[in-house]
Amino acid sequence: MNVNNQIELVAVLLILLGTIFSFLSAVGLIRLPDVYTRSHAASKSATMGVLFTLVGTFVFFIIEGIFSIRLFLGIFFVFLTAPVASHVIVRSAYRSKVALTKESVQDDLKEILEKEKRKQ
């Protein structure tokens, strides 16, 4: 097995791993009970799924001798923006008083926001 075949195998495994993460994200969106836990599933596993898929594609094209700046920038911006966007969405849902599920046992942000209100 030569070096190119080994690198192709790595690329295929990365893309497969990205597919598995994306599938787990879809399962999490269906199975989890509230917006906060669903957002966690969507942000973490979907981001990892997209990143592994793009990195696998990037590695494959590097083997072919093509450096794709678009793929590189896509990896960078997904890694940078997806967690931040998820955090902002969940924070706005919390401030809009979207209820937590009954199974939630801890609400750390409630105490902090109450302290802020008392200061004002």
Side-chain angles (χ1 to χ4, degrees), residues 9 18 26 28 34 42-44 46 75 98-99 101 108-109 115:
L9 181 62
D34 64 353
S43 68
K44 303 293 187 244
I75 293 166
V98 175
T101 185
D108 292 335
L109 193 55
K115 285 180 185 179

Side-chain angles (χ1 to χ4, degrees), residues 53-72:
T53 304
L54 289 177
V55 168
T57 307
F58 186 75
V59 168
F60 178 77
F61 281 121
I62 289 293
I63 296 169
E64 300 295 321
I66 301 169
F67 178 80
S68 176
I69 192 70
R70 289 181 183 167
L71 274 174
F72 183 74

Side-chain angles (χ1 to χ4, degrees), residues 19-39:
T19 305
I20 291 169
F21 270 107
S22 296
F23 175 74
L24 290 175
S25 177
V27 170
L29 285 173
I30 294 169
R31 299 276 304 162
L32 293 173
D34 64 353
V35 68
Y36 306 105
T37 54
R38 286 178 185 159
S39 176

Side-chain angles (χ1 to χ4, degrees), residues 51-116:
L51 287 177
F52 277 123
T53 304
L54 289 177
V55 168
T57 307
F58 186 75
V59 168
F60 178 77
F61 281 121
I62 289 293
I63 296 169
E64 300 295 321
I66 301 169
F67 178 80
S68 176
I69 192 70
R70 289 181 183 167
L71 274 174
F72 183 74
L73 289 174
I75 293 166
F76 177 73
F77 285 119
V78 166
F79 185 71
L80 186 68
T81 59
V84 174
S86 176
H87 176 78
V88 169
I89 290 168
V90 168
R91 182 62 83 105
S92 65
Y94 188 85
R95 288 184 182 257
S96 298
K97 303 199 185 322
V98 175
L100 278 77
T101 185
K102 293 177 184 177
E103 290 87 19
S104 296
V105 294
Q106 189 172 354
D107 185 4
D108 292 335
L109 193 55
K110 183 177 182 179
E111 297 171 9
I112 295 170
L113 290 178
E114 286 176 359
K115 285 180 185 179
E116 279 184 16

